[in-house]
Amino acid sequence: EERGSSDGSTVGAMLFTRDADDPKKRLTKEQVIDNALLLIAAGSETTANTLTNAMLLLGLHSDVFEKLVEEQRSLIASKGETLTKEMIDHECPYLDATIKEIMRI
């Protein structure tokens, strides 16, 4: 029998969680693999749809696109050509709001 505990991930939970009614029962290795593949496929589909919607909406709302471009240009002007994730996360509120709105839709 395998020993250990979940690392907090979804796959870890699938590996180590036991049936509440029968603690000896748990998912087989094949079931864990099947579920992991399903999660990957579902996540990929969701990401593709979100990016497609983002491009469509930015194309339909050129004013929003222009504000995003201006925000990025201002950041580059003040910080230089090399931007970090932290800079974008903290200094691009319009981008953040736009992404959240696209994901909400």
Side-chain angles (χ1 to χ4, degrees):
E1 177 173 301
E2 293 178 11
R3 295 184 186 265
S5 62
S6 174
D7 60 1
S9 69
T10 302
V11 173
M14 287 190 284
L15 282 171
F16 294 103
T17 299
R18 299 189 180 270
D19 189 291
D21 296 329
D22 184 359
K24 292 182 182 182
K25 288 176 74 177
R26 63 182 190 194
L27 294 175
T28 66
K29 190 180 288 186
E30 290 78 21
Q31 289 171 320
V32 171
I33 291 168
D34 288 345
N35 283 325
L37 291 173
L38 180 64
L39 290 171
I40 290 168
S44 297
E45 181 69 18
T46 302
T47 301
N49 286 338
T50 301
L51 291 171
T52 300
N53 286 337
M55 295 301 103
L56 173 65
L57 291 167
L58 289 172
L60 291 172
H61 301 278
S62 59
D63 57 320
V64 173
F65 179 76
E66 289 302 322
K67 285 182 184 179
L68 289 171
V69 170
E70 184 53 39
E71 185 176 64
Q72 298 302 301
R73 285 184 180 145
S74 295
L75 187 60
I76 290 168
S78 67
K79 302 290 184 179
E81 289 287 324
T82 304
L83 301 179
T84 65
K85 181 183 179 312
E86 289 75 25
M87 287 178 198
I88 294 169
D89 285 348
H90 294 99
E91 299 183 43
C92 295
Y94 195 75
L95 174 63
D96 184 54
T98 303
I99 290 170
K100 286 179 180 174
E101 181 63 13
I102 290 168
M103 292 178 71
R104 184 190 69 79
I105 294 171

